[in-house]
Amino acid sequence: MPPLLDIQNLTVTFDTDDGPVTAVNQLSLTLEQGQILGLVGESGCGKSVTAMSILRLLPQPSTRITSGKILFHGHDLLQLPTAELQDIRGSRISMIFQEPMTALSPLHRIGNQLVETLQIHRKMPRKQAWPTAAHWLKRVGLPDAEERMYAYPHQLSGGQRQRVMIAMAMMLDPAVLIADEPTTALDVTVQAQIFDLMHEMHKNNTGMLFITHDMGAIWQMCTHVAVMYATEIVETGTVQEIFSNPQHPYTRALLAAIPANTAPGNPLPAIPGAVPSPRNLPKGCHFSDRCPHAFDKCHAQHPDLYPTPCGQSRCFLSEEKT
Amino acid sequence: MNNALLTVQSLATYFPVKKGIFSRATHDIRAVDQVSFSIEPGEALGLVGESGCGKSPLARTILMLENATQGNMFFEDTDLLSASPAQLRRLRRNMQVVFQDPFASLNPGMTIMELITEGLIVHGLIQRSKRAEVAATLLQEVGLDPDMGNRFPHEFSGGQRQRICIARAISTRPKLLICDEAVSALDVSVQAQIMNLLMKLRQELNLAFLFISHDLGVVSHFCDRIAVMYLGKIVEIGSAHEIMHNPRHPYTKALLDAIPKVGSDKSERLRLPGEIPSAKNPPPGCPFHPRCRFAIDSCRTTPPTLQPCERNTKHQAACHRRDDTLQ
């Protein structure tokens, strides 16, 4: 069976006043049926740009996808005419964002926004769409769902708005859900409720790409992980394997920096320095400047992805092992 | 008086809700409601809770940025609410603050040197001619290049800006540093660096902290004691170890359970239904009872107060069933 979503050698370039900057470099990822794939990394590593590329949501013409393919059921989404892509957006591949306020129209009632989605994608008559939409609002646990259909987005809390977004995504039963930091702006107790809803979608056979910077959230939600650092993927694997036996020094450092892994009051094993700007990446391995294991080759040559027991790692130390 | 650095007694901050063309105050939002605690010299007290529970209004009231509606606050032996402006001015150098957003809290038109020495000059602690020299020392203290004094905030990353905010906060050698979500906006690797810096400074300068965060992991790593807030009230307070390993209030338990912890069992977690109710119209009795699985009749009518748990006066919870073994 072909993978649900197959990203091959994706390169995304931003045109800036100071010339072109590569935000995502030769990135390949596959999302198989039944997987929840976590894409984890720090701000600016290119994880959101990758997600936005899938549905071609990046601003034109300042952003260019300079190479690569994104295959969905054998069709390259990057080559698809806009009209055909429109049918896929929302209906086959849904996306939820960090800030639901910006994803909902502030001028329209929640109910109308949900109904419109059903009218467009399911060709459902309004009379039938209204109770269907109300049913889904109830499903995602919004109190007084029927009344809330008449509410405007600003009358709901952040958690409630995210529930509306999830209801909108769930009711079309998409094959793929892309969730870009869906709970970062929410409290932990609300986050736990949203995670439950996403797990429910997963049980209904929706594959997910889950983007976050929180390793704890990856553990809780995902089956597989891809770690990004400075425009590229540095490690992939199953959640179990990445957490118990991380191969890339960056993955190891990210896990070590979580306060829970150090006894209270003791210094945290922080990663020295800062994430390099995509404008000014180190020659050789992008992590070499901050890596405790770096040797001469790391500073001179750029590593490929080498196979590990259940994934890949972009590190010369992993090359030696194979 | 005891020897506490900061003592807060039955503090309340209400925000009036105004309605109608005459802007008459119809009722109050009780942002901070009957809060009492103290911080010893050199001690770090963590304050956790969900958004809207009143953490920030409490910090702002202590800093005298909001007017307290009721209660008492003492810094060492000075009554903050009745102190004269001149007294307060002298006190302010002892109480400093670091906010969440380092992009919003640095004036973009000032150089780093001006920013971090402004407090010293306002308080007359150094002469203007010494500025560059003192700034260089401060920058070094927070792990920045001492030659960066002539640059402007926009030239720095988020983590570096937070270091600048910390340099400014410690410049007057305060006794108490209030950190309001100071590491929440930072990436994990940078967050660890800033936490390490705060721990180092705490030791070197014997700083006391009021450390506000929604992240219990960060708070429990940094603090000696933790206070949990819900709807303007402290519902549990105790040593970090007790709160993390022996929580007595169901809300604290739910909060701990909701944190996605690496290596934890993914299925068995206590879910907290619903959301934090509006502070405009808090439920009667215990404010947490509509979401609490353990609520009994008395929870719906009688508001619980902070009481010792298992006779331990240092661990208190505002719950009628705090010592109930059924929980």
Side-chain angles (χ1 to χ4, degrees), chain A residues 41-43 157 159-160 163 187-193 195-196 213-217 219-220 222 239-240 243 254-255 257-259 262-273 290, chain B residues 49-52 55 157 186-193 195-196 199 214 217-218 220-222 251 254-255 258-267 269 271-276 291:
Chain A
E42 295 179 274
S43 1
S157 71
Q160 290 174 338
R163 278 168 207 267
D187 282 314
V188 278
T189 55
V190 182
Q191 168 173 283
Q193 296 166 354
F195 282 179
D196 282 350
H213 65 275
D214 181 353
M215 279 291 197
W219 171 264
Q220 208 60 247
C222 300
V239 164
Q240 290 296 342
F243 279 86
L254 263 189
L255 286 169
I258 301 171
T262 306
N266 288 315
L268 297 164
I271 310 175
R290 306 173 76 190
Chain B
E50 291 176 277
S51 39
K55 306 183 295 276
S157 70
L186 306 172
D187 272 318
V188 201
S189 71
V190 182
Q191 178 178 307
Q193 292 175 4
M195 295 266 293
N196 286 345
M199 284 190 278
H214 66 277
V218 168
S220 67
H221 188 80
F222 189 80
Y251 177 64
L255 209 54
I259 307 171
K261 281 175 289 279
V262 173
S264 63
D265 186 340
K266 295 183 198 185
S267 55
R269 296 200 297 157
R271 283 288 182 281
L272 194 57
E275 288 177 51
I276 193 162
R291 301 171 79 187

Coordinates of all heavy atoms in Angstrom, one line a residue, chain A residues 41-43 157 159-160 163 187-193 195-196 213-217 219-220 222 239-240 243 254-255 257-259 262-273 290, chain B residues 49-52 55 157 186-193 195-196 199 214 217-218 220-222 251 254-255 258-267 269 271-276 291:
Chain A
G41 N 10.6 20.4 16.7 CA 11.8 21.2 16.5 C 11.6 22.6 17.1 O 10.5 22.9 17.5
E42 N 12.7 23.4 17.2 CA 12.6 24.7 17.8 C 12.1 25.7 16.8 O 12.0 25.5 15.6 CB 13.9 25.1 18.4 CG 14.3 24.1 19.6 CD 15.7 24.5 20.1 OE1 16.7 24.1 19.6 OE2 15.7 25.3 21.1
S43 N 11.7 26.9 17.3 CA 11.2 27.9 16.4 C 12.2 28.2 15.3 O 13.4 28.3 15.5 CB 10.9 29.3 17.1 OG 11.2 29.2 18.5
S157 N -14.1 30.8 24.3 CA -12.7 30.8 24.9 C -11.8 30.1 23.9 O -12.2 29.5 22.9 CB -12.7 30.1 26.2 OG -12.8 28.7 26.0
G159 N -10.0 27.5 24.1 CA -10.2 26.0 24.0 C -11.4 25.7 23.2 O -11.5 24.7 22.5
Q160 N -12.5 26.5 23.5 CA -13.7 26.2 22.7 C -13.5 26.5 21.2 O -14.1 25.7 20.4 CB -14.8 27.1 23.3 CG -15.2 26.7 24.7 CD -16.2 27.7 25.3 OE1 -16.3 28.9 24.9 NE2 -17.0 27.3 26.3
R163 N -11.9 23.6 19.7 CA -12.9 22.5 19.5 C -13.7 22.7 18.3 O -14.1 21.8 17.6 CB -13.9 22.5 20.7 CG -13.3 21.8 21.9 CD -14.2 22.1 23.1 NE -13.5 22.0 24.3 CZ -13.4 20.9 25.0 NH1 -14.0 19.8 24.7 NH2 -12.7 20.8 26.1
D187 N -4.3 25.9 27.9 CA -3.9 25.4 29.2 C -3.8 23.9 29.2 O -4.4 23.2 28.3 CB -4.9 25.7 30.3 CG -4.7 27.2 30.7 OD1 -3.6 27.6 31.0 OD2 -5.8 27.9 30.8
V188 N -2.9 23.3 30.1 CA -2.7 21.8 30.0 C -4.0 21.0 30.2 O -4.1 20.0 29.5 CB -1.7 21.4 31.0 CG1 -0.3 21.6 30.5 CG2 -1.9 22.0 32.4
T189 N -4.9 21.5 31.0 CA -6.1 20.7 31.2 C -7.0 20.6 29.9 O -7.5 19.6 29.6 CB -6.9 21.2 32.4 OG1 -7.2 22.6 32.1 CG2 -6.2 21.0 33.7
V190 N -7.0 21.8 29.2 CA -7.7 21.9 28.0 C -7.0 21.1 26.9 O -7.6 20.4 26.1 CB -7.9 23.3 27.5 CG1 -8.7 23.4 26.3 CG2 -8.6 24.1 28.6
Q191 N -5.6 21.2 26.9 CA -4.8 20.4 26.0 C -5.1 18.9 26.1 O -5.3 18.3 25.0 CB -3.3 20.7 26.3 CG -2.4 19.7 25.6 CD -0.9 20.1 25.8 OE1 -0.4 21.0 25.2 NE2 -0.3 19.4 26.6
A192 N -5.3 18.4 27.3 CA -5.6 17.0 27.5 C -6.9 16.6 26.8 O -7.0 15.6 26.2 CB -5.6 16.6 29.0
Q193 N -7.9 17.5 26.9 CA -9.2 17.3 26.3 C -9.1 17.3 24.8 O -9.6 16.4 24.1 CB -10.2 18.4 26.7 CG -10.5 18.3 28.2 CD -11.2 19.6 28.7 OE1 -11.4 20.5 27.9 NE2 -11.6 19.6 29.9
F195 N -6.4 16.6 23.0 CA -5.6 15.4 22.6 C -6.6 14.2 22.6 O -6.5 13.3 21.7 CB -4.5 15.1 23.6 CG -3.3 15.9 23.5 CD1 -2.2 15.8 24.3 CD2 -3.2 16.8 22.4 CE1 -1.1 16.6 24.1 CE2 -2.1 17.6 22.3 CZ -1.0 17.5 23.1
D196 N -7.5 14.1 23.5 CA -8.5 13.0 23.5 C -9.3 13.0 22.2 O -9.5 12.0 21.6 CB -9.5 13.1 24.7 CG -8.8 12.6 25.9 OD1 -7.8 12.0 25.9 OD2 -9.4 12.8 27.0
H213 N 6.6 21.8 19.5 CA 8.0 21.9 20.1 C 8.1 21.2 21.4 O 9.1 21.2 22.0 CB 8.3 23.4 20.2 CG 7.5 24.0 21.3 ND1 6.2 24.5 21.0 CD2 7.6 24.2 22.6 CE1 5.7 25.0 22.1 NE2 6.5 24.8 23.1
D214 N 7.0 20.5 21.8 CA 6.9 19.9 23.1 C 7.1 18.4 23.1 O 6.2 17.7 22.5 CB 5.5 20.2 23.7 CG 5.3 19.7 25.1 OD1 6.2 18.9 25.6 OD2 4.3 20.0 25.8
M215 N 8.2 17.9 23.6 CA 8.5 16.5 23.5 C 7.5 15.7 24.3 O 7.2 14.5 24.0 CB 9.9 16.2 24.1 CG 11.0 16.5 23.1 SD 10.9 15.3 21.8 CE 12.5 15.5 21.0
G216 N 6.9 16.2 25.4 CA 5.9 15.6 26.2 C 4.7 15.3 25.4 O 4.1 14.2 25.4
A217 N 4.3 16.3 24.6 CA 3.1 16.2 23.7 C 3.4 15.1 22.7 O 2.4 14.3 22.3 CB 2.8 17.5 23.0
W219 N 5.2 12.4 23.0 CA 5.1 11.1 23.7 C 3.6 10.8 23.9 O 3.2 9.6 23.6 CB 5.8 11.2 25.1 CG 5.5 10.0 25.9 CD1 4.5 9.9 26.9 CD2 6.2 8.8 25.9 NE1 4.6 8.7 27.4 CE2 5.6 8.0 26.8 CE3 7.3 8.3 25.1 CZ2 6.0 6.7 27.1 CZ3 7.7 7.0 25.4 CH2 7.1 6.2 26.3
Q220 N 2.8 11.7 24.2 CA 1.4 11.5 24.5 C 0.6 11.2 23.3 O -0.3 10.4 23.3 CB 0.9 12.8 25.2 CG -0.3 12.6 26.1 CD 0.1 11.8 27.3 OE1 -0.5 10.7 27.4 NE2 0.9 12.2 28.2
C222 N 1.9 10.7 19.7 CA 2.4 10.2 18.4 C 2.8 8.7 18.4 O 3.1 8.1 19.4 CB 3.5 11.0 17.9 SG 3.1 12.7 17.7
V239 N 8.2 6.5 18.2 CA 8.3 7.2 19.5 C 9.0 6.4 20.5 O 9.9 7.0 21.2 CB 6.8 7.5 20.0 CG1 6.8 7.9 21.4 CG2 6.2 8.6 19.1
Q240 N 8.7 5.1 20.7 CA 9.4 4.3 21.7 C 10.9 4.4 21.5 O 11.7 4.6 22.4 CB 9.0 2.8 21.5 CG 7.6 2.5 22.0 CD 7.4 2.8 23.5 OE1 8.3 2.9 24.2 NE2 6.1 3.0 23.9
F243 N 12.6 8.0 22.1 CA 12.7 8.4 23.5 C 13.6 7.5 24.3 O 14.3 7.9 25.2 CB 11.3 8.4 24.1 CG 10.5 9.7 23.8 CD1 9.8 9.7 22.6 CD2 10.6 10.8 24.6 CE1 9.1 10.9 22.3 CE2 9.9 11.9 24.3 CZ 9.2 12.0 23.1
L254 N 17.8 17.7 23.2 CA 16.4 18.2 23.4 C 15.7 17.5 24.6 O 15.0 18.1 25.4 CB 15.6 18.0 22.2 CG 15.4 19.1 21.2 CD1 14.4 18.7 20.1 CD2 15.0 20.4 21.8
L255 N 15.9 16.1 24.6 CA 15.3 15.3 25.7 C 15.9 15.7 27.0 O 15.2 15.7 28.0 CB 15.4 13.9 25.3 CG 14.5 13.3 24.2 CD1 14.9 11.9 23.8 CD2 13.1 13.4 24.7
A257 N 17.1 18.4 28.0 CA 16.8 19.8 28.5 C 15.5 19.9 29.2 O 15.2 20.9 29.8 CB 16.9 20.8 27.3
I258 N 14.6 18.9 29.1 CA 13.3 18.9 29.8 C 13.6 18.8 31.3 O 14.3 18.0 31.8 CB 12.5 17.7 29.4 CG1 12.3 17.7 27.9 CG2 11.2 17.7 30.1 CD1 11.6 16.4 27.3
P259 N 13.1 19.8 32.1 CA 13.4 19.9 33.5 C 13.1 18.6 34.3 O 13.8 18.3 35.2 CB 12.5 21.0 34.0 CG 12.2 21.9 32.8 CD 12.2 21.0 31.6
T262 N 16.0 16.2 35.2 CA 17.1 16.6 36.1 C 16.5 16.7 37.5 O 15.4 17.2 37.7 CB 17.7 17.9 35.6 OG1 18.0 17.8 34.2 CG2 18.9 18.3 36.4
A263 N 17.3 16.3 38.5 CA 16.8 16.5 39.9 C 16.6 18.0 40.2 O 17.4 18.8 39.7 CB 17.8 15.9 40.9
P264 N 15.5 18.3 40.9 CA 15.2 19.7 41.2 C 16.4 20.5 41.7 O 17.2 20.0 42.5 CB 14.1 19.6 42.3 CG 13.5 18.3 42.0 CD 14.5 17.4 41.5
G265 N 16.5 21.7 41.2 CA 17.6 22.6 41.7 C 18.9 22.4 41.0 O 19.8 23.3 41.2
N266 N 19.1 21.3 40.3 CA 20.4 21.1 39.7 C 20.4 21.8 38.3 O 19.4 21.9 37.7 CB 20.7 19.6 39.5 CG 21.0 19.0 40.8 OD1 21.8 19.5 41.6 ND2 20.4 17.8 41.1
P267 N 21.6 22.2 37.8 CA 21.6 22.8 36.5 C 21.1 21.9 35.4 O 21.4 20.7 35.4 CB 23.1 23.1 36.3 CG 23.8 22.9 37.6 CD 22.9 22.1 38.5
L268 N 20.4 22.5 34.5 CA 19.8 21.7 33.4 C 20.9 21.6 32.3 O 21.6 22.5 32.0 CB 18.6 22.4 32.8 CG 17.4 22.6 33.7 CD1 16.4 23.6 33.2 CD2 16.7 21.2 33.9
P269 N 21.0 20.4 31.7 CA 21.9 20.3 30.6 C 21.4 21.0 29.3 O 20.8 20.5 28.4 CB 22.0 18.8 30.3 CG 20.8 18.2 31.0 CD 20.2 19.2 31.9
A270 N 21.7 22.3 29.3 CA 21.2 23.2 28.2 C 22.1 23.0 27.0 O 23.3 22.6 27.2 CB 21.3 24.7 28.7
I271 N 21.6 23.3 25.8 CA 22.4 23.3 24.6 C 23.1 24.6 24.5 O 22.4 25.6 24.5 CB 21.6 23.0 23.4 CG1 20.7 21.8 23.6 CG2 22.4 22.8 22.2 CD1 19.7 21.5 22.5
P272 N 24.4 24.7 24.4 CA 25.1 26.0 24.4 C 24.7 26.7 23.1 O 24.4 26.0 22.1 CB 26.6 25.6 24.4 CG 26.7 24.2 24.0 CD 25.4 23.5 24.4
G273 N 24.9 28.0 23.1 CA 24.6 28.8 21.9 C 23.2 28.8 21.5 O 22.3 28.6 22.3
R290 N 27.2 23.4 18.0 CA 26.7 23.2 19.4 C 26.8 21.8 19.9 O 26.3 21.5 21.0 CB 25.2 23.6 19.4 CG 24.9 25.0 18.8 CD 23.4 25.3 18.7 NE 22.8 25.6 20.0 CZ 21.5 25.6 20.1 NH1 20.7 25.4 19.1 NH2 21.0 25.9 21.3
Chain B
G49 N -1.1 27.8 37.9 CA -2.6 27.8 37.7 C -2.8 28.1 36.2 O -1.9 28.5 35.5
E50 N -4.1 27.9 35.8 CA -4.4 28.1 34.4 C -4.6 29.5 34.1 O -4.7 30.4 35.0 CB -5.7 27.3 34.1 CG -5.5 25.8 34.2 CD -6.8 25.1 34.0 OE1 -7.6 24.9 34.9 OE2 -7.1 24.7 32.8
S51 N -4.7 29.9 32.8 CA -4.8 31.3 32.4 C -6.1 31.8 33.0 O -7.1 31.1 33.0 CB -4.8 31.4 30.9 OG -5.4 30.4 30.3
G52 N -6.1 33.0 33.5 CA -7.2 33.6 34.0 C -7.5 33.3 35.5 O -8.5 33.7 36.1
K55 N -2.9 34.8 38.5 CA -1.5 34.8 38.8 C -0.9 36.2 38.6 O -0.2 36.8 39.4 CB -0.7 33.8 38.0 CG -1.2 32.4 38.1 CD -0.3 31.4 37.3 CE -0.3 31.7 35.8 NZ -1.4 31.1 35.0
S157 N 18.3 38.0 19.9 CA 17.3 37.0 19.9 C 16.4 37.0 21.2 O 16.8 37.7 22.1 CB 18.0 35.6 19.7 OG 18.6 35.3 20.9
L186 N 10.1 30.8 25.6 CA 11.4 30.4 25.0 C 11.4 29.0 24.6 O 10.7 28.2 25.1 CB 12.5 30.7 26.0 CG 12.6 32.1 26.6 CD1 13.6 32.1 27.8 CD2 12.9 33.1 25.5
D187 N 12.2 28.7 23.6 CA 12.4 27.3 23.2 C 13.0 26.5 24.3 O 13.7 27.0 25.1 CB 13.2 27.2 21.9 CG 12.4 27.4 20.7 OD1 11.3 26.8 20.6 OD2 12.8 28.1 19.8
V188 N 12.8 25.1 24.2 CA 13.3 24.3 25.3 C 14.8 24.5 25.6 O 15.2 24.6 26.7 CB 13.1 22.8 24.9 CG1 13.2 22.0 26.2 CG2 11.9 22.6 24.2
S189 N 15.6 24.5 24.5 CA 17.1 24.6 24.7 C 17.4 26.0 25.3 O 18.3 26.1 26.2 CB 17.8 24.4 23.4 OG 17.7 25.4 22.6
V190 N 16.8 27.0 24.9 CA 17.0 28.4 25.5 C 16.4 28.5 26.9 O 17.0 29.1 27.8 CB 16.4 29.5 24.5 CG1 16.8 30.8 25.1 CG2 17.0 29.3 23.1
Q191 N 15.3 27.9 27.1 CA 14.6 27.9 28.4 C 15.6 27.3 29.4 O 15.7 27.8 30.5 CB 13.3 27.1 28.3 CG 12.6 27.0 29.6 CD 11.3 26.2 29.5 OE1 10.5 26.5 28.6 NE2 11.1 25.2 30.3
A192 N 16.2 26.2 29.1 CA 17.2 25.6 30.0 C 18.3 26.5 30.3 O 18.7 26.6 31.5 CB 17.7 24.3 29.4
Q193 N 18.8 27.2 29.3 CA 19.9 28.2 29.6 C 19.4 29.3 30.6 O 20.2 29.6 31.5 CB 20.3 28.9 28.3 CG 21.0 28.0 27.3 CD 21.3 28.7 26.0 OE1 21.0 29.9 25.9 NE2 21.8 28.0 25.0
M195 N 16.9 29.2 32.7 CA 16.7 28.6 34.0 C 18.0 28.5 34.8 O 18.1 28.8 36.0 CB 16.1 27.2 33.9 CG 14.7 27.2 33.3 SD 13.4 27.3 34.5 CE 13.7 25.7 35.3
N196 N 19.0 28.0 34.1 CA 20.3 27.8 34.7 C 20.9 29.2 35.2 O 21.5 29.3 36.3 CB 21.3 27.2 33.7 CG 21.1 25.7 33.6 OD1 20.3 25.1 34.4 ND2 21.6 25.1 32.6
M199 N 19.1 30.2 38.3 CA 19.5 29.4 39.5 C 20.9 29.9 40.0 O 21.2 30.0 41.2 CB 19.6 27.9 39.1 CG 18.2 27.3 39.1 SD 18.2 25.5 38.9 CE 18.4 25.3 37.2
H214 N 2.8 28.7 34.1 CA 1.7 27.7 34.0 C 2.4 26.3 33.9 O 1.7 25.3 33.9 CB 0.9 28.0 32.8 CG 1.6 27.8 31.5 ND1 2.4 28.8 31.0 CD2 1.7 26.8 30.7 CE1 3.0 28.4 29.9 NE2 2.6 27.1 29.7
G217 N 6.4 21.7 35.5 CA 7.7 21.1 35.4 C 8.8 22.1 35.7 O 9.7 21.8 36.5
V218 N 8.7 23.2 35.1 CA 9.6 24.3 35.3 C 9.6 24.8 36.7 O 10.6 24.9 37.4 CB 9.3 25.5 34.3 CG1 10.1 26.7 34.7 CG2 9.6 25.1 32.9
S220 N 8.5 23.2 39.5 CA 9.0 22.3 40.5 C 10.5 22.1 40.4 O 11.1 21.8 41.4 CB 8.3 20.9 40.3 OG 8.7 20.3 39.1
H221 N 11.1 22.4 39.3 CA 12.5 22.3 39.2 C 13.2 23.5 39.9 O 14.2 23.3 40.5 CB 13.0 22.3 37.7 CG 14.4 22.0 37.6 ND1 14.9 20.8 37.6 CD2 15.5 22.8 37.4 CE1 16.3 20.8 37.5 NE2 16.6 22.1 37.4
F222 N 12.5 24.6 39.9 CA 13.2 25.8 40.3 C 12.9 26.2 41.8 O 13.7 26.7 42.5 CB 12.8 27.0 39.4 CG 13.5 28.3 39.7 CD1 14.8 28.4 39.1 CD2 13.0 29.3 40.4 CE1 15.5 29.6 39.4 CE2 13.7 30.4 40.7 CZ 14.9 30.6 40.1
Y251 N -7.8 19.7 42.3 CA -7.4 20.5 41.2 C -5.9 20.3 40.9 O -5.5 20.2 39.8 CB -7.8 22.0 41.4 CG -7.3 22.9 40.3 CD1 -7.8 22.7 39.0 CD2 -6.3 23.8 40.5 CE1 -7.4 23.5 38.0 CE2 -5.9 24.6 39.5 CZ -6.4 24.5 38.2 OH -6.0 25.2 37.2
A254 N -5.4 17.1 39.2 CA -5.8 17.1 37.8 C -4.8 17.9 36.9 O -4.5 17.5 35.8 CB -7.2 17.8 37.6
L255 N -4.3 19.0 37.5 CA -3.3 19.8 36.8 C -2.0 18.9 36.5 O -1.4 18.9 35.4 CB -2.9 21.0 37.7 CG -2.5 22.3 37.0 CD1 -3.5 22.7 35.9 CD2 -2.3 23.3 38.0
A258 N -2.6 16.4 33.8 CA -2.8 16.8 32.5 C -1.4 17.1 31.8 O -1.4 17.2 30.5 CB -3.6 18.1 32.5
I259 N -0.3 17.2 32.5 CA 0.9 17.5 31.9 C 1.4 16.3 31.1 O 1.5 15.2 31.7 CB 2.0 17.8 32.9 CG1 1.6 18.9 33.8 CG2 3.3 18.2 32.2 CD1 2.5 19.1 35.0
P260 N 1.6 16.4 29.8 CA 2.1 15.3 29.1 C 3.6 15.0 29.5 O 4.5 15.7 29.2 CB 2.0 15.7 27.6 CG 1.7 17.1 27.6 CD 1.6 17.6 28.9
K261 N 3.8 13.9 30.2 CA 5.1 13.6 30.7 C 5.7 12.5 29.9 O 5.0 11.5 29.6 CB 5.1 13.2 32.2 CG 5.0 14.4 33.1 CD 4.8 13.9 34.6 CE 3.5 13.3 34.9 NZ 2.4 14.2 35.1
V262 N 6.9 12.7 29.5 CA 7.6 11.6 28.7 C 7.8 10.4 29.6 O 8.2 10.5 30.8 CB 9.0 12.1 28.3 CG1 9.8 11.0 27.7 CG2 8.9 13.3 27.4
G263 N 7.4 9.2 29.1 CA 7.6 8.0 29.8 C 6.4 7.6 30.7 O 6.3 6.6 31.2
S264 N 5.3 8.5 30.7 CA 4.2 8.2 31.6 C 3.2 7.3 30.8 O 3.3 7.1 29.6 CB 3.4 9.5 31.9 OG 2.9 10.1 30.7
D265 N 2.4 6.7 31.6 CA 1.4 5.8 31.0 C 0.4 6.7 30.2 O -0.2 7.6 30.7 CB 0.6 5.1 32.2 CG -0.3 4.0 31.6 OD1 -0.7 4.2 30.4 OD2 -0.7 3.1 32.4
K266 N 0.2 6.3 29.0 CA -0.6 7.2 28.1 C -2.1 7.1 28.3 O -2.9 7.9 28.0 CB -0.3 6.9 26.6 CG 1.1 7.2 26.3 CD 1.4 7.0 24.8 CE 2.9 6.9 24.6 NZ 3.2 6.7 23.2
S267 N -2.6 6.0 28.9 CA -4.0 5.8 29.0 C -4.6 6.2 30.3 O -5.6 6.8 30.3 CB -4.3 4.3 28.8 OG -3.6 3.5 29.7
R269 N -5.2 8.5 32.8 CA -5.1 9.8 33.3 C -6.4 10.4 33.8 O -7.4 10.1 33.2 CB -4.5 10.8 32.3 CG -3.1 10.3 31.9 CD -2.3 11.4 31.2 NE -2.9 11.8 30.0 CZ -2.8 13.0 29.5 NH1 -2.1 13.9 30.1 NH2 -3.4 13.3 28.3
R271 N -9.1 13.0 33.8 CA -9.5 14.1 33.0 C -10.3 15.1 33.8 O -11.2 14.7 34.5 CB -10.3 13.6 31.8 CG -9.6 13.0 30.7 CD -8.8 14.0 30.0 NE -8.1 13.4 28.9 CZ -7.0 12.7 29.0 NH1 -6.4 12.6 30.2 NH2 -6.4 12.1 28.0
L272 N -10.0 16.4 33.6 CA -10.7 17.4 34.2 C -11.8 17.9 33.2 O -11.4 18.4 32.1 CB -9.8 18.6 34.6 CG -10.2 19.6 35.5 CD1 -10.7 19.0 36.8 CD2 -9.1 20.6 35.8
P273 N -13.1 17.7 33.5 CA -14.1 18.2 32.6 C -14.3 19.7 32.6 O -13.9 20.3 33.6 CB -15.3 17.4 33.1 CG -15.1 17.3 34.5 CD -13.6 17.2 34.7
G274 N -14.8 20.2 31.5 CA -15.1 21.7 31.5 C -14.0 22.6 31.5 O -12.8 22.2 31.3
E275 N -14.3 23.8 31.8 CA -13.2 24.9 31.8 C -13.3 25.7 33.1 O -14.3 25.6 33.8 CB -13.4 25.8 30.6 CG -13.0 25.1 29.3 CD -13.2 26.0 28.1 OE1 -12.7 27.2 28.2 OE2 -13.9 25.6 27.2
I276 N -12.3 26.5 33.3 CA -12.3 27.4 34.5 C -13.5 28.3 34.4 O -13.7 28.9 33.3 CB -10.9 28.1 34.5 CG1 -10.7 28.7 35.9 CG2 -10.7 29.1 33.4 CD1 -9.2 29.0 36.1
R291 N -16.4 21.1 38.8 CA -15.6 20.2 38.0 C -15.0 19.1 38.8 O -14.2 18.3 38.3 CB -14.4 21.0 37.4 CG -14.9 22.2 36.5 CD -13.7 23.1 36.2 NE -12.9 22.6 35.1 CZ -11.7 23.1 34.7 NH1 -11.3 24.2 35.3 NH2 -11.1 22.6 33.7

